[in-house]
Amino acid sequence: EMKSKFALKAIVLVLAGAGLVFVGYWFGTQRNMDDATSGTATEKVDAKTGRKVLYWHDPMVPGNKFDKPGKSPFMDMQLVPVYADEASADGGVKINPTLQQNLGIRFATVRLEDVRDAFEMIGTTQFDESASEVVQSRVTGYIDKLYARSPMQRIKRGEAIASIFVPDWIAPQEEYLALKRSGNIELASAARQRMRAMSIPDGLINQADRTGQSQKYYTLSSPVAGVITELSVRDGAMVTPGMTIAKVSGLNKVWLVAEVPETLSNSVHSGMTVEATFSGDANRKYSGKVREILPGISTATRTLQARLELDNRDGSLTPGMLMRVRLDAEKPVSRLLVPSEAVIASGKQSVVLVAGENNSMQPVVVTTGRDTGNDTEILSGLSEGQKVVASGQFLIDSEASLKSVLPKFAGKSQAMQPAASPVHRGIGTVETITPKALTLSHKPIPELEWGAMTMDFNKSRPELFGEIKAGQEVEFSFKENDDGYLLESVTPVGGKQ
């Protein structure tokens, strides 16, 4: 029993000692890690070179970034630092000036400019109802001949529309002519006044004087040049006083009814000058003004209608034509502008590439406003005087989203520079051989901080290293490229290839 108690106490003491050792080791390790983190993660300075480090990464998996050095979780090798003087931070892109010129990258300056707001709308031409004239009959009669044959017929000013036979005008004319022939001037003058009271035109009375015969037919003519929009009678039809024979709309001016977005309802008002362009011919331009804003907003299109008045003295416009309208605001407004081609729209947001120091290009999310011709207004994100990329955005603007493309360019910023990659050397054993690559189990490579491991190396050309066989120990040299590691030479140890 005494032995068992002694043994039990010994076990408890051993476990307690082991626990203290583990706790001490954990605190010591944690302290060392904190010290290392505070020296690297905060300042991010490489202890060997003294250069500022942006992050560490595994060259085999460049898309993953780490805040401190250590062993790669993907391969049996140390993480490699990316220095601040070699790459752009925050997903930027760094491109050599010679490559910029070869790729046609062009820059523009963000500028503050006074611009006159312009609004573009679509409208349809209509007849100018204020210039319409109504041709009516003042007497009872019959249509003897109708010169206007159909609606929408063009007609000149003074051109005949219809000839009316008026039976009631015959007797007063015969009486007047008889009194005139008898020499009774006073009675003839009274008869002439009675004919005027019966709405017999002076022209018809004068013609009766000249010919000595009563005039049975009265011709109605168009008071304006335009189009017959209404024709209410046919040959032989009876007409009565006040009856409309035809309606003629003038074409010296036409109306253009344009749809104004609800958001611009306070920006458009009567009297504004406009310029309209015919959709079928961009060279045909017409000037005019806003006549009035029609009340009411369409619930379907959320637009209101503006009635414009266009000059059409050449007669080239007809109702129903579709036209593009441009309205210019009266007072200029100061706005921040960039070329429209500099803005990359990704659907959810708009991005502009801003040129920085050391040939870097940084994507900046901006809020855009109105388009003013070839320029776009910037509401936020940029300031006056900044340089932005105006052409060559195809480097990053693809069908993929900007969010996924930019890190790829950030990880390959060194590959975009024309400087040659350094050649590295190692010793290893050939495991397998394929037409495109060799699998080598190599020894540690100190210059890259690689440990011993097995990995694939691509051939620069498939026919190279044809005498190399699996199982041989070889000396090899390689370079890093976008697709991995490219073999430059492979030589058997103790022999030549």
Side-chain angles (χ1 to χ4, degrees), residues 147-381:
Y147 297 97
R149 305 308 303 175
S150 61
M152 305 308 295
Q153 176 183 333
R154 288 182 177 270
I155 193 169
K156 298 179 181 179
R157 178 184 175 91
E159 187 176 351
I161 294 177
S163 176
I164 302 177
F165 171 64
V166 187
D168 294 342
W169 285 357
I170 298 177
Q173 292 181 72
E174 292 292 346
E175 179 184 2
Y176 166 70
L177 293 174
L179 291 172
K180 184 180 179 182
R181 284 193 294 267
S182 66
N184 194 333
I185 304 301
E186 293 182 359
L187 292 178
S189 177
R192 189 182 183 96
Q193 293 298 326
R194 286 196 300 271
M195 286 192 295
R196 289 178 175 174
M198 296 176 65
S199 299
I200 299 177
D202 288 341
L204 198 69
I205 297 173
N206 294 335
Q207 189 174 358
D209 277 338
R210 289 194 306 271
T211 61
Q213 296 180 352
S214 61
Q215 303 297 311
K216 301 179 177 64
Y217 303 98
Y218 169 53
T219 301
L220 296 175
S221 59
S222 175
V224 295
V227 176
I228 298 176
T229 55
E230 291 183 17
L231 189 62
S232 307
V233 297
R234 287 291 181 263
D235 284 333
M238 181 179 179
V239 296
T240 56
M243 181 178 178
T244 298
I245 305 299
K247 183 179 180 181
V248 182
S249 296
L251 287 176
N252 286 338
K253 292 181 179 180
V254 295
W255 285 349
L256 182 67
V257 177
E259 300 292 335
V260 181
E262 182 181 9
T263 55
L264 301 178
S265 58
N266 294 328
S267 302
V268 181
H269 55 83
S270 300
M272 293 179 65
T273 59
V274 300
E275 184 181 84
T277 305
F278 176 48
S279 299
D281 186 358
N283 295 323
R284 294 170 61 180
K285 296 183 179 181
Y286 303 85
S287 60
K289 64 179 181 179
V290 179
R291 181 185 176 98
E292 55 194 342
I293 305 298
L294 304 183
I297 293 180
S298 170
T299 56
T301 61
R302 305 310 306 174
T303 58
L304 55 82
Q305 292 184 328
R307 181 178 289 165
L308 318 178
E309 188 176 81
L310 299 181
D311 185 4
N312 187 41
R313 282 174 289 185
D314 61 354
S316 58
L317 293 178
T318 58
M321 297 175 71
L322 191 65
M323 306 192 74
R324 185 179 297 276
V325 187
R326 179 185 175 91
L327 288 83
D328 292 325
E330 296 178 346
K331 297 181 180 179
V333 179
S334 182
R335 300 189 186 279
L336 198 64
L337 302 177
V338 297
S340 298
E341 59 183 343
V343 181
I344 305 172
S346 64
K348 295 182 180 179
Q349 61 186 10
S350 296
V351 175
V352 173
L353 293 182
V354 179
E357 298 179 355
N358 299 324
N359 303 317
S360 64
M361 299 176 193
Q362 185 71 26
V364 176
V365 178
V366 298
T367 303
T368 58
R370 299 173 180 170
D371 288 337
T372 59
N374 296 324
D375 298 318
T376 297
E377 178 188 7
I378 301 298
L379 300 178
S380 64

